[in-house]
Amino acid sequence: MATDDPSAATSGADRPVIDVDTLAGLLDGEYAGIRGLVRADLVAHASVLEDAERLDTDAFRERVRDLVVELASTGRTGMGFPVEYGGGGDIGASVAAFETLAFGDLSVLVKSGVQFGLFGGAILHLGTERHHEAYLSDVVAGRLLGCFAMTETGHGSHVQALGTVARYDPEAQEFVVTTEGDAARKDYIGNAARHAELAVVFAQLEVGGESHGVHALLVPLRSGGEVLPGVEIEDDGRKMGLNGVDNGRIRFDGVRVPREALLNRFADVTPDGRYVSSIDNPGRRFFTMLGTLVQGRVCVGGAGVSVAKVALTIAVKYAVRRRQFEASPGAEEQLLLDYGLHQRRLLPLLARTYALHFAQDVVRAQLHEVFSGHEDDPRARRRLESRAAAMKALGTWHATRTVQECREACGGAGYLAVNRFAALRADSDVFTTFEGDNHVLLQLVAKGLLTDHAGEFEDLDQLGMVRYVTGLAVETVIEKASVHKLLERVRDLLPGGDAWDQEAGLRDPEYHLAMLRYREEHMLAGLARRLKHGIDQKRDPGAVFSQAQDHVIALARAHAERLVLEAFAEACRAVPDGGGEDALGLLRDLFALSTIEADRAWFMEHGRLTVQRSKAITREVSRLCRAVRPLAVDLVDAWRVPREVLRAHDLLG
């Protein structure tokens, strides 16, 4: 750091100096080229943000459709597909493009995600060459629009319980797809109400009267714009936001599709009606299938971070223009961002956004490595799935919180549609529940921690997971995370002994990491003991787990925040000289200490914070906010959100 006193950084030559272009290049990283091209697309089509307010629902849906098809022609939306089908052959680049596209209209983003991520991604990852040759070129080019029909009215997150059925007819060598009751209708399906011609439909596969669980098939919905016989489609109507996306309900009444319509990478049905699969265990087969679709969660988490960047860019720039109240009689009114409270509202969110940016870099790199590698590593896939779930939850919750705080920080002006907050809030709110409800995803994360990624991990449904976690796995975790061993590990983390964290410098990165690691380990041990106690009392395993769900979620969030801090700390260590390392160090410390401060009750309850040290952390967070304040505009400028998509002319000047 340039000075021992962060508050001194608000003036004088010692405060960190940011080269915005250098920092922007660092943030864009290896995908700076594709990000720059997407930013240019956003500028060229910025008028769609006004169209969202000016056009009626039908007209805006058509505008969004046309724009998605136009973007497809640039190749930017197809970066993750193989080159031979018109793609870019670069999964990491496709995620980076999606993250950048999230600076603009979110209906365009989500419709692109449905078309190329969910629909096209399912054909790519669940299908085989026969499906790739037949469809992928048209999907990538936007000539064939489709939808991803998984969620049902009666089941969203519980995919294994879907009610749509696909029965094999060996005489005709066809599958007969049927919606069995209203609870089994496909619901909230993007692209379904107007534009999809083909659907990836998830259904219970029945062969010879035997059910083989949920599989995916390609089912035509329309031909020449007309809905096909046996298919019934209903418009879901207007939503809170994303009204450029045509969500709909689909029912199937004995719709027949050829045997080859089954996406058969992991399982197939022979012409004579034999079910075959390279994965014998049904649970493992199901989770392997769903695991190939993890890219959607990675993309949505990254999009949430981008939404937060847009909101903060507007709010911070407004706060250095808008004045309110005199600091003393006769003086000029004070800038909003010079008020300590305003700094406290916005700048920890800015620091957290930077932290999540670097955490997103890690999960994007993991995704690229797992899906671009020549060898299938099941443990690497499980690590990816867990991390993607954790980052998606944190990123999207952060977006919701940040948009609201920034809207309030802009007062009445923030309520005007022209200033973007209305659309940002309405369009991003659903991010917390699609691609996996955040609370369900965090239970997935905790499940992996409790079972220590045991070999049985991917084979378990919810009930099986409860039985496993509350059975032998609990014994394993109790042994692994016993109080004695826990304290030994904490002492390893605290090089000066068990009292080191009471004396370490508040700005010491090792102190920050030790605190978050301790919290996670202690919560893991406590949850395992709680589960074991319930089972020892012969209580129902499901009830035991249900009553401990608040602890499950707390553990998963603690784990996720530890991952984020580690990613941020590693990014700071890797910054070259002149790359803004001092400014990033301030943000890292602000993120870490504000995270500890937000959960200081837990740390105090568990003996890791004294009252005096807790107060010292609060003072330090305020000091860090004052240190970041003169850097705030440069820090948001480094995100390179195009001015044209910010709108907010009155706020930004």
Side-chain angles (χ1 to χ4, degrees), residues 225-500:
E226 297 297 321
V227 177
L228 291 169
V231 178
E232 179 184 339
I233 298 178
E234 178 184 350
D235 198 320
D236 274 319
R238 284 189 63 81
K239 309 179 292 289
M240 282 179 61
L242 297 177
N243 284 300
V245 182
D246 50 316
N247 293 81
R249 300 184 179 98
I250 312 172
R251 294 179 179 84
F252 302 101
D253 183 10
V255 175
R256 288 180 171 267
V257 295
R259 183 182 65 87
E260 293 78 9
L262 179 67
L263 294 176
N264 63 330
R265 178 180 173 186
F266 300 111
D268 207 348
V269 175
T270 64
D272 61 349
R274 287 184 300 109
Y275 178 85
V276 293
S277 175
S278 58
I279 305 174
D280 292 333
N281 185 286
R284 181 177 289 119
R285 186 189 313 126
F286 173 76
F287 284 106
T288 300
M289 176 184 72
L290 289 192
T292 64
L293 307 177
V294 69
Q295 183 172 338
R297 286 176 184 164
V298 175
C299 285
V300 172
V305 177
S306 294
V307 166
K309 290 176 180 178
V310 175
L312 280 163
T313 298
I314 297 170
V316 166
K317 292 194 168 190
Y318 178 64
V320 297
R321 294 183 66 248
R322 180 74 151 86
R323 294 182 180 274
Q324 191 82 284
F325 300 112
E326 304 90 346
S328 58
E332 186 179 21
E333 287 190 307
Q334 196 165 344
L335 289 171
L336 291 181
L337 202 55
D338 287 336
Y339 285 103
L341 178 59
H342 215 76
Q343 294 170 12
R344 271 287 197 152
R345 295 173 69 184
L346 296 182
L347 300 185
L349 294 176
L350 189 153
R352 192 176 185 88
T353 304
Y354 264 82
L356 288 167
H357 172 101
F358 291 115
Q360 177 70 10
D361 283 349
V362 173
V363 74
R364 186 195 322 108
Q366 287 184 350
L367 176 77
H368 183 83
E369 182 177 348
V370 166
F371 283 90
S372 301
H374 298 294
E375 294 185 5
D376 186 15
D377 183 349
R379 290 185 66 85
R381 284 182 178 267
R382 288 197 294 271
R383 287 193 297 270
L384 169 63
E385 290 162 17
S386 177
R387 192 168 195 128
M391 292 306 105
K392 187 268 181 183
L394 257 60
T396 56
W397 270 329
H398 176 65
T400 299
R401 175 190 172 196
T402 301
V403 170
Q404 179 62 24
E405 193 65 59
C406 289
R407 202 292 300 159
E408 293 183 27
C410 291
Y415 204 61
L416 300 178
V418 71
N419 294 328
R420 276 220 72 181
F421 290 113
L424 283 176
R425 179 177 174 180
D427 291 345
S428 69
D429 189 77
V430 74
F431 286 13
T432 61
T433 49
F434 71 22
E435 283 301 315
D437 176 275
N438 285 353
H439 287 94
V440 175
L441 292 182
L442 288 186
Q443 290 184 70
L444 170 69
V445 173
K447 166 184 161 183
L449 296 172
L450 283 164
T451 59
D452 198 27
H453 297 296
E456 296 88 345
F457 170 74
E458 71 274 26
D459 300 341
L460 305 175
D461 59 15
Q462 179 73 12
L463 181 59
M465 182 266 284
V466 170
R467 289 172 176 161
Y468 185 79
V469 166
T470 54
L472 293 177
V474 174
E475 300 287 353
T476 301
V477 175
I478 289 293
E479 175 63 23
K480 171 178 175 287
S482 67
V483 173
H484 176 69
K485 292 187 176 183
L486 171 65
L487 292 178
E488 284 183 352
R489 280 201 300 278
V490 171
R491 290 191 183 100
D492 289 340
L493 294 173
L494 308 180
D498 194 35
W500 175 83

Side-chain angles (χ1 to χ4, degrees), residues 152-154 163-165 178-186 250-252:
E152 295 180 355
T153 304
T164 302
V165 178
T178 304
T179 300
E180 301 203 336
D182 281 349
R185 65 186 181 184
K186 298 299 179 181
I250 312 172
R251 294 179 179 84
F252 302 101

